Amino acid sequence: RSMLQLLHEMADVHVERNTITYNAAVSTCEKCGQWQQALQLFQEMEKDRVERDAITYSAVVSSFEKNGLWVQALNLLCLMSDFNLSVGSVAYSAAVSACEKGREWQQALQLMHRMVQDQ
């Protein structure tokens, strides 16, 4: 079964799907290298009006990193700032690593500089 199916089953048995349950599902997808499913859950949270926090964003950024999707990782990092979420070291490190995998060293250096400024 997929994490998405489990979340739907939770609703069927009246278990609340909230930020914590979604974050657990997104993190599981990230750890399993399933970036598409992590992104789908992230998008579903918005549709279901479930608050997405820094943990949610960081997990999706990490899922992009594991798959070398540096553009997507940077876009999500920018969204975190747009929504005034604290961009922590986990999200920054994942985005830097995604840039490294994409051989985007200038982007990685800019992110590292930004990280130092933000801390």
Side-chain angles (χ1 to χ4, degrees):
R1 287 189 292 189
S2 73
M3 289 308 299
L4 196 56
Q5 289 171 317
L6 280 173
L7 279 173
H8 288 279
E9 288 174 17
M10 288 175 66
D12 293 342
V13 294
H14 307 291
V15 174
E16 181 183 8
R17 296 185 305 174
N18 57 27
T19 303
I20 294 169
T21 56
Y22 268 103
N23 282 352
V26 171
S27 292
T28 300
C29 292
E30 176 260 323
K31 286 173 183 33
C32 294
Q34 298 176 338
W35 70 269
Q36 297 98 333
Q37 204 167 28
L39 181 59
Q40 185 177 358
L41 290 167
F42 180 81
Q43 293 167 338
E44 188 173 300
M45 289 176 78
E46 182 177 29
K47 186 184 81 174
D48 290 346
R49 301 186 198 303
V50 175
E51 181 183 356
R52 300 180 294 189
D53 61 13
I55 295 168
T56 315
Y57 280 82
S58 294
V60 179
V61 170
S62 292
S63 74
F64 290 153
E65 177 270 327
K66 284 187 170 53
N67 291 277
L69 302 171
W70 68 273
V71 173
Q72 294 86 338
L74 292 182
N75 287 340
L76 207 53
L77 208 66
C78 288
L79 274 180
M80 288 180 79
S81 295
D82 291 347
F83 288 113
N84 294 320
L85 291 172
S86 175
V87 181
S89 59
V90 171
Y92 271 124
S93 296
V96 167
S97 181
C99 290
E100 177 266 325
K101 287 179 180 175
R103 299 182 187 264
E104 293 291 327
W105 61 271
Q106 290 176 325
Q107 290 286 345
L109 287 174
Q110 288 176 0
L111 275 177
M112 291 173 71
H113 180 71
R114 187 171 141 198
M115 182 171 65
V116 169
Q117 286 180 326
D118 286 354
Q119 301 302 320

